[in-house]
Amino acid sequence: MKILMTGFEPFGGETMNPAYEALKLLPENIAGAKIIRLQVPTAFSRCAPAVEEALLACRPDAVICVGQAGGRTCVTVERVAINLADAGLPDNLGAQPVDEPIRADGPAAYFSTLPVRAIVKNIREHGIPCQLSCSAGTYVCNCLMYELLHRSALFYPHIRAGFLHVPFAQEQAVDKPGGTPSASLATIARALELAAEAVVKAPRDDLQEKKGLIC
Amino acid sequence: MKILMTGFEPFGGETMNPAYEALKLLPENIAGAKIIRLQVPTAFSRCAPAVEEALLACRPDAVICVGQAGGRTCVTVERVAINLADAGLPDNLGAQPVDEPIRADGPAAYFSTLPVRAIVKNIREHGIPCQLSCSAGTYVCNCLMYELLHRSALFYPHIRAGFLHVPFAQEQAVDKPGGTPSASLATIARALELAAEAVVKAPRDDLQEKKGLIC
Amino acid sequence: MKILMTGFEPFGGETMNPAYEALKLLPENIAGAKIIRLQVPTAFSRCAPAVEEALLACRPDAVICVGQAGGRTCVTVERVAINLADAGLPDNLGAQPVDEPIRADGPAAYFSTLPVRAIVKNIREHGIPCQLSCSAGTYVCNCLMYELLHRSALFYPHIRAGFLHVPFAQEQAVDKPGGTPSASLATIARALELAAEAVVKAPRDDLQEKKGLIC
Amino acid sequence: MKILMTGFEPFGGETMNPAYEALKLLPENIAGAKIIRLQVPTAFSRCAPAVEEALLACRPDAVICVGQAGGRTCVTVERVAINLADAGLPDNLGAQPVDEPIRADGPAAYFSTLPVRAIVKNIREHGIPCQLSCSAGTYVCNCLMYELLHRSALFYPHIRAGFLHVPFAQEQAVDKPGGTPSASLATIARALELAAEAVVKAPRDDLQEKKGLIC
């Protein structure tokens, strides 16, 4: 089994992105699955093509995209991506869409095809806080999640795909206002490892699919 | 023009619901539109039928549903409802679905057909904080919003419909832990009045529709 | 009975200070006591002299100073002022002390001589959230509270004195990041009125004094 | 040089106290100083005697007491302890004082005699968020800090003493509501190690003492 795990470039004035920094700490093999890492441009127009290129080159069984959600207190597993691009700040190529559909002909949303509950359960059982989330925002993270699920729905139905958000790393929070939550890169990396492990171990025909709901 | 405005019954151990209490403070006429108020059961199985019954009886031009989002600091205008029922606590009839689709044959999500930006703008221009939100949660609020948008998409395409969340009323926060945000019912009512005003004044063929995006 | 109530000038880039704006909404007479309002410079060197001048001119029975605590969710009643000036931003005269004692020869702290529990109780019984606080910070608010209690301890022992902090007004929060808490000026003014009422009604020889603790 | 570092027993229904769990991870020697660890009862009447007994037995040069502050996002260094015991929940012996002085004949407050800024600086320079705090609360933590500073002021003036608060450990936050901040025990232990290092390296006649302010 192969799992493609992606993390974004730093954005919004940060000098690091905890998503990709944590991925660098992961072992090359998790629960028997080969882990392939990819850094993705933080740009609406470039993120999905970069991931699709890796899909074609690596032919993974699952894709776990990871992004920074500054202000959240723990790792969160996204349930759903929506067809909306609305950027509070320009992306790394200067694009700043306002209330635009990601795909004019696409559905309003896609649910994650990762075993989101099993991921949350596995991370929590190892003592690390983790929550389900119903919003990946409307910035590049949501855009990548939507595009990935759109393409996998149409062309790669056998690939399980989804998105996790991680808090600021401690190094980023040091100079931010008191009260800004963060986590150590060691903790974030461990949570991502446990997420990959849950994906390896979760049977494909799990509860959600039986119910006709992909979440 | 007629606007149907709905608020839920109290739930989760509360003795009041700020959504409906604030609606009771509204004038019967806002910017020339007649306001019709409806209290809705906080129950997955009953909320949408109650609203549909009122739709048939009143034939409104717009429906603004309102719910309590304890923990939020200000009135928020929901952009999207998702096809997912996942209840952290039982509803008022004892139902507590876990990861169930609201409609097994429904799309993953619907965007609000209210002029969400115009509502936020009008409330803020009158000195009251207001934000767009990308998640109405997965409890009865989201269920009602999804069902309402589903039915209006299929059967009442001329009706603009959507959902606003309001914070706890001050009276509710008094005995909650320090730091629990709240707002006065007077403020909440004023925000809802300004929301209705924005709906009256927003042209139907607004920016969002031109872009092919209903949000 | 006469109560002097003070509020600061706007500071830190704000165009209004909710403390003084709320005081302007108060009646001239509360529970039989005459209310005297005073706007105080937001300046370490000027705040206490301004209040002392009013003390001498008005000879009040109690002094309730009020300041803005942006980020707090409700009105808080300060228990204690500490002998420390440490400014995160310059005051309105450009002074920015770092870790300096307010009075090199003063004690480490003074407890409020207002009936702090009775104030909290009265405000909460009228449906408005209110909390005790153990820190008035280290900016001009704490400085004024310390200086006022220092002077009243030495020279005006019959005057009850203390400090309340209020949240941002809604008008201030409109353009701040989502999640910034605020309250309506009507709510803040009502809470300050109830605070004054509690001061009028609380007997001087209350529980705290019997215990030998002035808080 | 010898440093006594104390951590409390679990309290308030918790099965662990991150303060003492982190102390257990520290090396026996930090920057040349011998580290002595002590677990302290979470009880108003027992905490200070336990520490004083260790003072007499170990004769340390500095005492760093550590406690849990659930809800804070990072390690905080307390500046001041106040003469007030006001317990929101019973301590581990069932005592629950309300608005009582810790010492009827004691001053209103004591400032920490640890080099608080040097501690914050050292922790932050190593990439871990850390803040000064102006309130250690009114529970057993503040009581121990006050009693320790009271005794050292009277009888052990050569001992530097103070208090640090740490967030919930991740294991504690797992089953708490989403949004509850926490830190890994590895991070907390590293911060406490850096605090001890700062105490070893900070000259006694530092800036604060020159100013006549002990903070």
Side-chain angles (χ1 to χ4, degrees):
Chain A
M1 186 171 179
K2 280 189 287 192
I3 302 179
L4 173 65
M5 299 186 77
T6 77
F8 284 104
E9 294 167 344
F11 67 95
E14 299 292 329
T15 56
M16 63 177 286
N17 190 311
Y20 192 66
E21 293 305 312
L23 288 181
K24 288 199 273 184
L25 302 178
L26 291 192
E28 296 192 1
N29 189 296
I30 296 174
K34 181 173 160 58
I35 303 301
I36 303 150
R37 273 166 285 230
L38 177 70
Q39 190 174 30
V40 176
T42 305
F44 283 98
S45 64
R46 295 297 312 138
C47 59
V51 174
E52 188 155 28
E53 190 178 326
L55 282 188
L56 295 172
C58 312
R59 304 197 167 271
D61 302 281
V63 186
I64 304 175
C65 298
V66 189
Q68 164 192 306
R72 294 198 185 170
T73 56
C74 69
V75 172
T76 51
V77 183
E78 299 298 344
R79 285 169 173 272
V80 65
I82 61 175
N83 190 8
L84 179 63
D86 184 28
L89 73 171
D91 71 16
N92 286 0
L93 291 179
Q96 189 170 8
V98 176
D99 283 358
E100 292 183 13
I102 295 170
R103 294 204 158 245
D105 58 347
Y110 284 104
F111 285 106
S112 174
T113 53
L114 295 176
V116 294
R117 286 219 177 252
I119 293 172
V120 171
K121 186 164 179 279
N122 199 40
I123 293 173
R124 292 167 63 121
E125 281 179 356
H126 287 80
I128 301 176
C130 185
Q131 301 280 339
L132 289 171
S133 164
C134 287
S135 174
T138 57
Y139 195 56
V140 181
C141 293
N142 174 72
C143 176
L144 175 57
M145 184 179 173
Y146 182 90
E147 285 279 14
L148 173 63
L149 288 164
H150 182 71
R151 289 166 199 222
S152 72
L154 295 180
F155 306 118
Y156 317 105
H158 60 287
I159 298 182
R160 308 194 91 177
F163 201 99
L164 273 72
H165 265 121
V166 303
F168 281 133
Q170 288 172 346
E171 293 81 353
Q172 297 175 282
V174 160
D175 294 320
K176 293 193 165 61
T180 303
S182 63
S184 68
L185 283 176
T187 292
I188 295 172
R190 180 69 176 133
L192 297 181
E193 183 180 354
L194 292 162
E197 187 185 86
V199 170
V200 174
K201 293 184 176 172
R204 274 203 64 92
D205 58 337
D206 64 2
L207 188 67
Q208 296 138 329
E209 300 194 10
K210 271 185 229 137
K211 281 184 184 163
L213 174 69
I214 301 172
C215 70
Chain B
M1 186 171 179
K2 280 190 286 189
I3 302 180
L4 174 64
M5 300 186 76
T6 77
F8 284 104
E9 294 167 346
F11 67 95
E14 300 291 331
T15 55
M16 64 176 286
N17 189 312
Y20 192 65
E21 293 305 313
L23 288 182
K24 288 198 274 185
L25 303 178
L26 292 191
E28 297 191 2
N29 188 295
I30 297 174
K34 179 172 161 58
I35 303 300
I36 304 150
R37 272 165 288 229
L38 177 71
Q39 190 175 31
V40 177
T42 305
F44 283 98
S45 64
R46 296 298 311 138
C47 59
V51 174
E52 188 154 27
E53 191 178 324
L55 283 189
L56 295 171
C58 312
R59 306 198 166 271
D61 301 281
V63 185
I64 304 175
C65 297
V66 189
Q68 164 193 305
R72 295 197 185 170
T73 56
C74 70
V75 173
T76 52
V77 183
E78 300 297 344
R79 286 170 173 272
V80 65
I82 62 174
N83 189 7
L84 179 63
D86 184 28
L89 74 170
D91 72 15
N92 286 0
L93 291 178
Q96 189 171 7
V98 175
D99 283 359
E100 291 183 13
I102 294 169
R103 296 205 157 244
D105 58 346
Y110 285 103
F111 286 105
S112 175
T113 52
L114 295 176
V116 294
R117 286 217 178 254
I119 293 172
V120 171
K121 184 163 180 281
N122 199 39
I123 293 174
R124 292 167 62 120
E125 283 179 354
H126 287 81
I128 300 176
C130 185
Q131 300 279 336
L132 288 170
S133 164
C134 288
S135 173
T138 58
Y139 195 56
V140 181
C141 293
N142 173 72
C143 176
L144 176 56
M145 184 179 173
Y146 182 90
E147 286 279 13
L148 174 62
L149 288 164
H150 182 71
R151 289 165 199 224
S152 71
L154 294 179
F155 307 117
Y156 317 105
H158 59 288
I159 298 182
R160 308 195 91 176
F163 202 98
L164 274 72
H165 265 121
V166 303
F168 282 133
Q170 289 172 345
E171 293 80 356
Q172 297 174 282
V174 160
D175 293 320
K176 293 193 166 62
T180 302
S182 63
S184 68
L185 283 175
T187 292
I188 295 172
R190 179 70 176 131
L192 297 181
E193 184 180 353
L194 293 162
E197 186 184 88
V199 170
V200 174
K201 294 186 178 171
R204 275 201 63 93
D205 59 338
D206 63 2
L207 188 67
Q208 295 137 328
E209 300 192 14
K210 272 186 230 137
K211 279 184 184 164
L213 174 71
I214 303 172
C215 70
Chain C
M1 187 172 180
K2 278 189 289 191
I3 302 179
L4 174 64
M5 300 186 76
T6 77
F8 286 103
E9 295 167 344
F11 67 95
E14 299 291 332
T15 55
M16 64 176 286
N17 189 311
Y20 192 65
E21 293 304 313
L23 288 181
K24 288 198 274 185
L25 302 178
L26 291 192
E28 297 192 1
N29 188 295
I30 297 174
K34 181 174 159 62
I35 304 300
I36 303 148
R37 273 164 286 227
L38 177 69
Q39 190 175 31
V40 177
T42 305
F44 284 97
S45 64
R46 295 298 310 138
C47 58
V51 173
E52 188 155 26
E53 191 178 325
L55 283 189
L56 296 171
C58 312
R59 304 197 169 272
D61 302 280
V63 185
I64 303 174
C65 298
V66 189
Q68 165 193 304
R72 294 198 185 170
T73 55
C74 69
V75 172
T76 52
V77 183
E78 299 297 345
R79 285 169 172 276
V80 65
I82 62 175
N83 189 6
L84 179 62
D86 184 27
L89 72 171
D91 72 14
N92 285 359
L93 291 178
Q96 189 171 9
V98 175
D99 283 358
E100 292 183 12
I102 295 169
R103 294 201 158 247
D105 59 347
Y110 284 104
F111 285 106
S112 174
T113 53
L114 295 177
V116 294
R117 284 216 181 255
I119 293 172
V120 171
K121 186 164 179 282
N122 200 38
I123 293 173
R124 291 167 63 120
E125 283 178 356
H126 287 80
I128 301 176
C130 184
Q131 301 280 337
L132 288 170
S133 165
C134 287
S135 174
T138 57
Y139 195 57
V140 180
C141 293
N142 174 71
C143 176
L144 175 57
M145 183 179 174
Y146 182 90
E147 286 279 14
L148 173 63
L149 288 164
H150 182 71
R151 289 164 199 223
S152 72
L154 295 179
F155 306 118
Y156 317 106
H158 59 287
I159 297 182
R160 308 195 92 178
F163 201 97
L164 274 72
H165 265 122
V166 303
F168 282 132
Q170 288 171 346
E171 293 81 354
Q172 296 175 281
V174 160
D175 293 320
K176 293 193 165 60
T180 302
S182 63
S184 68
L185 283 175
T187 291
I188 296 172
R190 179 70 177 133
L192 297 180
E193 183 180 355
L194 292 162
E197 186 185 86
V199 170
V200 174
K201 294 185 176 172
R204 274 203 63 93
D205 59 339
D206 64 2
L207 188 67
Q208 296 136 329
E209 299 192 13
K210 272 186 229 137
K211 283 185 182 163
L213 173 69
I214 301 170
C215 70
Chain D
M1 185 171 180
K2 278 189 290 192
I3 302 180
L4 174 64
M5 300 186 77
T6 77
F8 285 104
E9 294 167 345
F11 67 95
E14 299 291 331
T15 55
M16 64 177 287
N17 189 312
Y20 191 66
E21 293 305 311
L23 288 181
K24 288 199 274 186
L25 301 178
L26 291 192
E28 296 191 2
N29 188 296
I30 296 174
K34 180 172 160 59
I35 303 300
I36 303 150
R37 272 165 286 228
L38 178 69
Q39 190 175 31
V40 176
T42 305
F44 283 98
S45 64
R46 294 300 309 139
C47 59
V51 173
E52 187 154 31
E53 192 178 324
L55 282 189
L56 296 171
C58 311
R59 305 198 167 272
D61 302 281
V63 186
I64 304 175
C65 297
V66 189
Q68 165 193 305
R72 294 197 185 170
T73 56
C74 70
V75 173
T76 52
V77 183
E78 299 298 344
R79 285 169 174 274
V80 67
I82 62 174
N83 189 7
L84 180 62
D86 184 27
L89 72 171
D91 71 15
N92 286 359
L93 291 179
Q96 190 171 7
V98 175
D99 283 359
E100 292 183 12
I102 295 169
R103 296 203 157 245
D105 58 347
Y110 285 104
F111 285 106
S112 174
T113 54
L114 295 176
V116 294
R117 284 215 180 255
I119 293 172
V120 171
K121 185 165 179 281
N122 200 39
I123 294 173
R124 292 167 62 120
E125 282 179 355
H126 287 80
I128 300 176
C130 186
Q131 301 278 339
L132 289 170
S133 164
C134 287
S135 174
T138 57
Y139 196 58
V140 181
C141 292
N142 175 71
C143 176
L144 176 57
M145 184 179 174
Y146 182 90
E147 285 280 14
L148 174 63
L149 288 163
H150 182 71
R151 288 164 198 223
S152 73
L154 294 179
F155 307 118
Y156 317 106
H158 59 287
I159 297 181
R160 310 195 90 177
F163 201 98
L164 274 71
H165 265 122
V166 303
F168 282 133
Q170 287 171 345
E171 293 81 355
Q172 297 175 281
V174 160
D175 293 320
K176 293 192 166 62
T180 303
S182 62
S184 68
L185 283 175
T187 292
I188 295 172
R190 180 69 177 134
L192 296 180
E193 183 180 353
L194 293 163
E197 187 184 87
V199 170
V200 174
K201 294 186 177 171
R204 276 202 64 92
D205 59 338
D206 63 1
L207 187 65
Q208 295 135 328
E209 299 192 15
K210 272 186 230 137
K211 280 184 185 166
L213 173 69
I214 302 171
C215 70

